[in-house]
Amino acid sequence: MKLDTSNIIVFLGPPGSGKGTLSRLCVNRLAWTQFSTGDLCREHITNKTELGKNIDFIIKSGKLISDSLIIKMVEKELEKQFKNQSKVILDGFPRTKEQAVALSNILKASCFNQVKLNIVKLDIPDSDIILRLSKRMICSDKKCQTIYSLSDISLRPKVENICDNCSSNLIKRIDDEIDAILDRLKIYHLHENDIIDFFHNKGHKIITLSVNRPVEDIYRDFLTKLNIN
Ligand code: AMP
């Protein structure tokens, strides 16, 4: 039997634009589910799975994993998520037009009668991204992966280098080194318009959030633009 309605939000933005931070606010305050392909990839690497061994080098270099691999991962994971939750945030997927087409097909074949898909584009100049990523720290516990920023007072840990949530040490991501940052930005801009055009042509709502401001302002703007009470 098909379920009623599903709400899917795609956070589309360059690395460091705050997809993960905004997703976690929605999880904590709106009880939505976050599905981050980056977190899932890092979990595979930590658990030294076969897949993890194959993608370790690619992730460190800031390149994208192949569409076929990532689509397979997403198909499997989304199926699981849909069993217990109808409101899902996609953080880091799709990243190419091929992935956008695949998402559209996955949702068409899902267990819901209606799927409301909203694309939220996070807008920020590249120069701010470079500054942000060089100050970003994440929790070293792969189950937690909370994100902190040493450049934003509202996102600093309470105790230096310690995660507020689980007390694990904070670390810098290897792909937050400058060469990898520049590569990741280049790749993002290469695909951004194709993805937006694809969803626009399919008639999905696309909203833009300016994100070089405090996270609470961004969150309020997000709620208003998507009519979430
Ligand atoms: P993120 O945490 O979203 O910045 O992702 C970290 C890395 O995981 C990326 O630089 C890619 O190597 C890989 N990755 C995550 N999501 C995708 C995706 N949708 N397509 C291809 N590679 C991805």
Side-chain angles (χ1 to χ4, degrees):
M1 193 184 76
K2 285 225 170 197
L3 300 171
D4 193 19
T5 306
S6 164
N7 282 283
I8 311 287
I9 291 186
V10 169
F11 281 140
L12 187 66
S17 54
K19 300 186 291 291
T21 305
L22 199 54
S23 299
R24 276 160 210 247
L25 275 185
C26 296
V27 170
N28 293 336
R29 297 182 185 176
L30 304 170
W32 286 15
T33 295
Q34 173 199 16
F35 172 42
S36 155
T37 40
D39 285 353
L40 192 64
C41 289
R42 284 183 288 277
E43 249 178 71
H44 275 281
I45 293 173
T46 306
N47 296 335
K48 297 192 167 50
T49 64
E50 213 41 51
L51 177 66
K53 285 179 208 159
N54 289 331
I55 63 178
D56 190 19
F57 175 74
I58 304 173
I59 296 228
K60 281 181 184 146
S61 69
K63 303 265 186 306
L64 289 186
I65 289 157
S66 75
D67 284 332
S68 57
L69 255 185
I70 209 93
I71 289 167
K72 227 183 275 165
M73 266 164 84
V74 170
E75 269 170 350
K76 215 160 119 198
E77 193 59 29
L78 268 184
E79 211 175 283
K80 267 195 257 160
Q81 309 253 357
F82 282 153
K83 289 215 168 95
N84 22 1
Q85 175 62 285
S86 60
K87 294 181 172 177
V88 180
I89 292 169
L90 292 178
D91 162 5
F93 184 90
R95 266 173 150 107
T96 63
K97 184 179 171 191
E98 245 179 290
Q99 294 181 17
V101 173
L103 175 63
S104 194
N105 291 334
I106 292 170
L107 295 179
K108 234 186 268 163
S110 76
C111 53
F112 295 98
N113 275 322
Q114 197 197 358
V115 177
K116 284 188 192 150
L117 177 65
N118 290 304
I119 315 301
V120 179
K121 179 174 173 281
L122 308 186
D123 224 21
I124 180 167
D126 283 1
S127 51
D128 289 4
I129 288 291
I130 293 167
L131 212 67
R132 269 188 186 196
L133 289 185
S134 55
K135 303 264 182 209
R136 175 161 82 172
M137 304 291 283
I138 62 163
C139 176
S140 56
D141 182 323
K142 297 296 179 233
K143 292 264 171 302
C144 177
Q145 299 200 37
T146 301
I147 303 154
Y148 296 88
S149 171
L150 305 182
S151 63
D152 180 339
I153 194 142
S154 66
L155 295 174
R156 266 192 218 149
K158 292 192 180 82
V159 179
E160 200 178 336
N161 279 331
I162 301 293
C163 177
D164 295 351
N165 287 341
C166 69
S167 303
S168 302
N169 286 329
L170 303 186
I171 51 168
K172 205 168 157 51
R173 277 171 48 168
I174 290 178
D175 57 354
D176 279 347
E177 298 301 337
I178 187 68
D179 286 349
I181 293 173
L182 294 176
D183 262 356
R184 287 156 71 207
L185 276 171
K186 207 159 85 191
I187 293 168
Y188 174 76
H189 290 302
L190 193 68
H191 297 285
E192 181 188 31
N193 287 337
D194 284 348
I195 297 172
I196 290 174
D197 287 349
F198 173 79
F199 286 123
H200 177 75
N201 292 336
K202 287 256 164 205
H204 295 295
K205 185 168 176 174
I206 298 168
I207 68 158
T208 301
L209 290 179
S210 161
V211 291
N212 48 355
R213 54 189 168 147
V215 68
E216 286 296 337
D217 291 359
I218 303 166
Y219 180 67
R220 266 196 303 274
D221 194 17
F222 163 75
L223 295 182
T224 309
K225 286 188 168 151
L226 281 184
N227 294 321
I228 300 169
N229 302 310

